[in-house]
Amino acid sequence: MTGMTGNLRYADRTEGGRRLARELEEMQRADGLPDPLVLALPRGGVPVAQEVARALRAPLDVVVARKIGLPGRPEFGIGAIAGEDPPVFDADALQMLGLTEDRLSAEVAHERGELHRRERLYRGDRPAPRTAQRTLIVVDDGLATGVTARAALRHLRRQRPERLVLAVPVGAPQSVTALREEADVVICPQQPEPFEAVGLWYEDFPQTSDEEVVAALHPTTAR
């Protein structure tokens, strides 16, 4: 379920989430989303996923995945990790840059530590939600390379869900196509070309804070 809508920019992540919610509500009415659980990729995916969870009347949680950056250029993602799973690397990027997975062991260890820190912060004392035999809807604010989403989807696939759905408001066309191999359904209404960066497709694209994530997951205790 993908499509083009004239490559319009979203006002903000909330509007992006409402756009996804409309498509997912149609699937829900057709009984295509049994026992749904909405899992946001923090941090930016959380405000998008809030709208989806609200529309579907589904619980909201997170699946924490961390990008592995190029040494010296951490913003340049060449891999990602989720849970205790092995890293997922962009093999073409490694070859082009002349890197091996062993060369990135320090970056992997650092990001694994940050992943665990965020899981503790976001979840607190709550146990991880049940994922087996239910519909898992993974939500982010956009797909650039797609490597972080790929790591998250593979991590969740090992938990034997009934159905695995990836929903993002905007994404690079090649990344959307590639991730159809990982999810049962990919929903991405906007697939502009050239893509360049997720933030370009939002009018308002502030960084989401840890505090906002915690407040979304623990609304009754948020101050």
Coordinates of all heavy atoms in Angstrom, one line a residue, residues 79-131:
G79 N 24.7 1.3 9.1 CA 24.2 0.1 9.7 C 23.3 0.5 10.9 O 23.1 1.6 11.1
A80 N 22.8 -0.6 11.5 CA 21.9 -0.3 12.7 C 21.8 -1.6 13.5 O 22.1 -2.7 13.0 CB 20.5 0.1 12.2
I81 N 21.4 -1.4 14.7 CA 21.1 -2.6 15.6 C 19.8 -2.4 16.3 O 19.2 -1.3 16.5 CB 22.2 -2.7 16.7 CG1 22.4 -1.3 17.5 CG2 23.5 -3.1 16.1 CD1 23.3 -1.4 18.7
A82 N 19.2 -3.5 16.7 CA 18.0 -3.6 17.5 C 18.1 -4.7 18.5 O 18.5 -5.8 18.1 CB 16.8 -3.7 16.6
G83 N 17.7 -4.5 19.7 CA 17.7 -5.6 20.7 C 19.2 -6.1 20.8 O 20.1 -5.4 20.8
E84 N 19.3 -7.4 21.0 CA 20.6 -8.1 21.1 C 21.0 -8.7 19.7 O 21.9 -9.5 19.7 CB 20.6 -9.1 22.2 CG 20.4 -8.6 23.6 CD 21.4 -7.5 24.0 OE1 22.6 -7.7 23.6 OE2 21.1 -6.5 24.6
D85 N 20.3 -8.4 18.7 CA 20.5 -9.0 17.4 C 21.8 -8.5 16.8 O 22.3 -7.4 17.2 CB 19.4 -8.6 16.4 CG 18.0 -9.2 16.8 OD1 18.0 -10.0 17.8 OD2 17.0 -8.9 16.2
P86 N 22.4 -9.3 15.9 CA 23.6 -8.8 15.2 C 23.3 -7.5 14.4 O 22.2 -7.3 14.0 CB 24.0 -10.0 14.3 CG 23.2 -11.2 14.8 CD 22.0 -10.6 15.5
P87 N 24.4 -6.7 14.2 CA 24.1 -5.5 13.4 C 23.7 -5.8 12.0 O 24.0 -6.8 11.4 CB 25.5 -4.8 13.4 CG 26.3 -5.5 14.5 CD 25.7 -6.9 14.7
V88 N 22.9 -4.9 11.4 CA 22.5 -4.9 10.0 C 23.3 -3.8 9.3 O 23.2 -2.7 9.7 CB 21.0 -4.7 9.9 CG1 20.6 -4.6 8.4 CG2 20.2 -5.8 10.6
F89 N 24.1 -4.2 8.4 CA 24.9 -3.2 7.7 C 24.5 -3.1 6.2 O 23.9 -4.0 5.6 CB 26.4 -3.7 7.7 CG 27.1 -3.5 9.0 CD1 27.4 -4.6 9.8 CD2 27.4 -2.2 9.5 CE1 28.0 -4.4 11.0 CE2 28.0 -2.0 10.7 CZ 28.3 -3.1 11.5
D90 N 24.8 -1.9 5.7 CA 24.6 -1.6 4.3 C 25.8 -2.2 3.6 O 26.9 -1.5 3.6 CB 24.4 -0.1 4.0 CG 24.2 0.2 2.6 OD1 24.6 -0.5 1.7 OD2 23.5 1.3 2.3
A91 N 25.7 -3.3 3.0 CA 26.9 -4.0 2.4 C 27.5 -3.2 1.3 O 28.8 -3.1 1.1 CB 26.5 -5.4 1.9
D92 N 26.7 -2.5 0.5 CA 27.2 -1.7 -0.6 C 28.0 -0.6 -0.1 O 29.1 -0.2 -0.6 CB 26.1 -1.2 -1.5 CG 25.4 -2.3 -2.3 OD1 26.0 -3.4 -2.5 OD2 24.2 -2.2 -2.7
A93 N 27.5 0.1 1.0 CA 28.2 1.2 1.6 C 29.6 0.8 2.2 O 30.6 1.5 2.0 CB 27.4 1.9 2.6
L94 N 29.6 -0.4 2.8 CA 30.8 -0.9 3.4 C 31.9 -1.1 2.3 O 33.0 -0.7 2.4 CB 30.6 -2.2 4.2 CG 29.8 -2.1 5.5 CD1 29.8 -3.5 6.1 CD2 30.4 -1.1 6.4
Q95 N 31.4 -1.7 1.2 CA 32.4 -2.0 0.1 C 32.9 -0.7 -0.5 O 34.1 -0.6 -0.8 CB 31.7 -2.9 -0.9 CG 32.6 -3.3 -2.1 CD 31.9 -4.2 -3.0 OE1 30.7 -4.4 -3.0 NE2 32.7 -4.9 -3.9
M96 N 32.0 0.2 -0.7 CA 32.4 1.5 -1.3 C 33.4 2.2 -0.5 O 34.3 2.9 -1.0 CB 31.1 2.3 -1.6 CG 31.4 3.7 -2.2 SD 29.9 4.7 -2.4 CE 29.4 5.0 -0.7
L97 N 33.2 2.1 0.9 CA 34.1 2.9 1.8 C 35.3 2.1 2.2 O 36.1 2.6 3.0 CB 33.3 3.3 3.0 CG 32.1 4.3 2.8 CD1 31.2 4.3 4.0 CD2 32.7 5.7 2.5
G98 N 35.4 0.9 1.8 CA 36.5 0.0 2.1 C 36.6 -0.4 3.6 O 37.6 -0.5 4.2
L99 N 35.4 -0.6 4.2 CA 35.3 -0.9 5.6 C 34.8 -2.4 5.8 O 34.2 -2.9 4.9 CB 34.3 0.0 6.3 CG 34.6 1.5 6.5 CD1 33.4 2.3 7.0 CD2 35.8 1.6 7.5
T100 N 35.2 -2.9 6.9 CA 34.7 -4.2 7.3 C 33.9 -4.1 8.6 O 34.0 -3.1 9.3 CB 35.9 -5.2 7.6 OG1 36.6 -4.7 8.7 CG2 36.8 -5.3 6.4
E101 N 33.1 -5.1 8.8 CA 32.2 -5.1 10.0 C 33.1 -5.0 11.3 O 32.8 -4.4 12.3 CB 31.3 -6.3 10.1 CG 30.3 -6.3 8.9 CD 29.3 -7.4 9.0 OE1 29.2 -8.0 10.1 OE2 28.6 -7.7 8.0
D102 N 34.2 -5.8 11.3 CA 35.1 -5.7 12.5 C 35.6 -4.3 12.8 O 35.8 -4.0 13.9 CB 36.3 -6.7 12.2 CG 35.9 -8.1 12.2 OD1 34.8 -8.4 12.7 OD2 36.7 -9.0 11.8
R103 N 35.8 -3.6 11.7 CA 36.4 -2.2 11.9 C 35.4 -1.3 12.6 O 35.7 -0.3 13.2 CB 36.7 -1.6 10.5 CG 37.0 -0.1 10.5 CD 38.3 0.2 11.2 NE 38.6 1.6 11.1 CZ 38.0 2.5 11.9 NH1 37.2 2.2 12.8 NH2 38.3 3.8 11.8
L104 N 34.1 -1.7 12.7 CA 33.0 -0.9 13.3 C 32.6 -1.4 14.6 O 31.6 -1.0 15.2 CB 31.8 -0.9 12.3 CG 32.1 -0.2 11.0 CD1 31.0 -0.5 10.0 CD2 32.3 1.3 11.2
S105 N 33.4 -2.3 15.2 CA 33.0 -2.9 16.5 C 32.9 -1.9 17.6 O 32.0 -2.0 18.5 CB 34.0 -4.0 16.9 OG 35.3 -3.5 17.0
A106 N 33.7 -0.9 17.6 CA 33.6 0.1 18.7 C 32.3 0.9 18.5 O 31.7 1.2 19.5 CB 34.8 1.1 18.6
E107 N 32.0 1.3 17.3 CA 30.7 2.0 17.1 C 29.5 1.2 17.5 O 28.6 1.7 18.1 CB 30.6 2.4 15.6 CG 31.5 3.6 15.2 CD 33.0 3.2 15.1 OE1 33.3 2.0 15.0 OE2 33.8 4.1 15.1
V108 N 29.6 -0.1 17.2 CA 28.5 -1.0 17.5 C 28.3 -1.1 19.0 O 27.2 -1.0 19.6 CB 28.7 -2.4 16.9 CG1 27.7 -3.4 17.5 CG2 28.6 -2.4 15.4
A109 N 29.4 -1.2 19.7 CA 29.4 -1.3 21.2 C 28.8 0.0 21.8 O 28.0 -0.1 22.8 CB 30.8 -1.6 21.8
H110 N 29.2 1.1 21.3 CA 28.7 2.4 21.8 C 27.2 2.5 21.6 O 26.5 2.9 22.5 CB 29.4 3.5 21.1 CG 28.9 4.9 21.4 ND1 29.1 5.5 22.6 CD2 28.0 5.7 20.7 CE1 28.4 6.7 22.6 NE2 27.8 6.8 21.5
E111 N 26.8 2.1 20.4 CA 25.3 2.3 20.1 C 24.5 1.2 20.9 O 23.4 1.5 21.3 CB 25.1 2.2 18.6 CG 25.7 3.3 17.8 CD 25.2 4.7 18.3 OE1 24.1 4.8 18.9 OE2 25.9 5.7 18.0
R112 N 25.1 0.1 21.2 CA 24.4 -0.9 22.0 C 24.2 -0.4 23.4 O 23.1 -0.6 24.0 CB 25.2 -2.2 22.0 CG 24.5 -3.4 22.6 CD 23.7 -4.2 21.6 NE 24.5 -4.9 20.7 CZ 23.9 -5.6 19.6 NH1 22.6 -5.6 19.5 NH2 24.7 -6.2 18.8
G113 N 25.2 0.3 23.9 CA 25.0 0.9 25.2 C 23.9 1.9 25.3 O 23.1 2.0 26.2
E114 N 23.9 2.8 24.2 CA 22.9 3.8 24.1 C 21.5 3.2 23.9 O 20.5 3.7 24.5 CB 23.2 4.8 23.0 CG 22.2 5.9 22.7 CD 22.1 6.8 23.9 OE1 22.9 6.8 24.8 OE2 21.1 7.6 23.9
L115 N 21.4 2.1 23.2 CA 20.1 1.5 23.0 C 19.6 1.0 24.3 O 18.4 1.2 24.6 CB 20.3 0.3 22.0 CG 19.1 -0.5 21.6 CD1 19.4 -1.1 20.2 CD2 18.8 -1.7 22.6
H116 N 20.4 0.3 25.1 CA 20.0 -0.1 26.4 C 19.6 1.0 27.3 O 18.6 0.9 28.1 CB 21.1 -1.0 27.1 CG 21.3 -2.3 26.4 ND1 22.5 -2.9 26.5 CD2 20.6 -3.0 25.6 CE1 22.5 -4.0 25.7 NE2 21.3 -4.1 25.2
R117 N 20.3 2.1 27.3 CA 20.0 3.3 28.1 C 18.6 3.8 27.8 O 17.8 4.1 28.7 CB 21.0 4.4 27.9 CG 20.8 5.6 28.8 CD 21.5 6.8 28.4 NE 21.0 7.4 27.2 CZ 20.0 8.3 27.1 NH1 19.3 8.6 28.2 NH2 19.5 8.7 26.0
R118 N 18.3 3.9 26.5 CA 17.0 4.4 26.1 C 15.9 3.5 26.4 O 14.8 3.9 26.8 CB 17.1 4.7 24.6 CG 18.0 5.9 24.2 CD 17.7 6.4 22.9 NE 18.7 7.5 22.5 CZ 18.5 8.4 21.6 NH1 17.4 8.3 20.9 NH2 19.3 9.3 21.3
E119 N 16.1 2.2 26.2 CA 15.1 1.2 26.6 C 14.7 1.4 28.1 O 13.5 1.3 28.4 CB 15.5 -0.2 26.3 CG 15.5 -0.6 24.8 CD 15.9 -2.0 24.5 OE1 16.7 -2.6 25.4 OE2 15.5 -2.5 23.5
R120 N 15.7 1.5 28.9 CA 15.4 1.6 30.4 C 14.7 2.9 30.6 O 13.8 3.0 31.4 CB 16.8 1.6 31.2 CG 17.4 0.2 31.2 CD 18.6 0.2 32.2 NE 19.6 1.2 31.9 CZ 20.7 0.9 31.2 NH1 20.8 -0.4 30.6 NH2 21.6 1.8 30.9
L121 N 15.1 4.0 30.0 CA 14.5 5.3 30.2 C 13.1 5.3 29.7 O 12.2 5.8 30.4 CB 15.3 6.4 29.4 CG 14.7 7.8 29.4 CD1 14.7 8.4 30.9 CD2 15.5 8.7 28.5
Y122 N 12.8 4.8 28.5 CA 11.5 4.9 27.9 C 10.5 3.9 28.6 O 9.3 4.2 28.8 CB 11.5 4.6 26.4 CG 12.4 5.5 25.6 CD1 12.9 5.2 24.4 CD2 12.6 6.8 26.1 CE1 13.7 6.0 23.7 CE2 13.4 7.7 25.4 CZ 14.0 7.3 24.1 OH 14.7 8.2 23.4
R123 N 11.0 2.7 28.9 CA 10.1 1.7 29.4 C 9.9 1.7 30.9 O 8.9 1.3 31.5 CB 10.5 0.3 28.9 CG 9.5 -0.8 29.2 CD 9.6 -2.0 28.3 NE 9.1 -1.7 26.9 CZ 9.8 -1.8 25.8 NH1 11.1 -2.3 25.9 NH2 9.3 -1.5 24.6
G124 N 11.0 2.1 31.6 CA 10.9 2.1 33.1 C 10.8 0.7 33.6 O 11.5 -0.2 33.2
D125 N 9.9 0.5 34.5 CA 9.7 -0.8 35.1 C 8.7 -1.7 34.3 O 8.4 -2.8 34.7 CB 9.2 -0.7 36.6 CG 10.2 0.0 37.5 OD1 11.4 -0.2 37.2 OD2 9.8 0.7 38.4
R126 N 8.1 -1.1 33.3 CA 7.1 -1.9 32.5 C 7.8 -3.0 31.7 O 8.9 -2.8 31.1 CB 6.4 -1.0 31.5 CG 5.5 0.0 32.2 CD 4.7 0.8 31.1 NE 5.6 1.4 30.1 CZ 5.6 1.1 28.8 NH1 4.9 0.2 28.3 NH2 6.4 1.8 28.0
P127 N 7.2 -4.2 31.7 CA 7.8 -5.2 30.9 C 7.5 -4.9 29.4 O 6.7 -4.1 29.0 CB 7.0 -6.5 31.3 CG 5.7 -5.9 31.8 CD 6.0 -4.6 32.4
A128 N 8.3 -5.5 28.5 CA 8.1 -5.3 27.1 C 6.8 -5.9 26.7 O 6.3 -6.9 27.3 CB 9.2 -6.1 26.3
P129 N 6.1 -5.3 25.8 CA 4.8 -5.8 25.4 C 4.8 -7.1 24.7 O 5.8 -7.5 24.1 CB 4.3 -4.7 24.4 CG 5.5 -4.2 23.8 CD 6.5 -4.2 24.9
R130 N 3.7 -7.8 24.7 CA 3.6 -9.1 24.0 C 3.6 -8.8 22.5 O 2.8 -8.0 22.0 CB 2.3 -9.8 24.4 CG 2.1 -11.1 23.6 CD 0.8 -11.8 24.1 NE -0.4 -10.9 23.9 CZ -1.1 -10.9 22.7 NH1 -0.7 -11.6 21.7 NH2 -2.1 -10.1 22.6
T131 N 4.4 -9.5 21.7 CA 4.5 -9.2 20.3 C 4.1 -10.5 19.4 O 3.7 -10.3 18.3 CB 5.9 -8.8 19.9 OG1 6.8 -9.8 20.4 CG2 6.2 -7.4 20.5

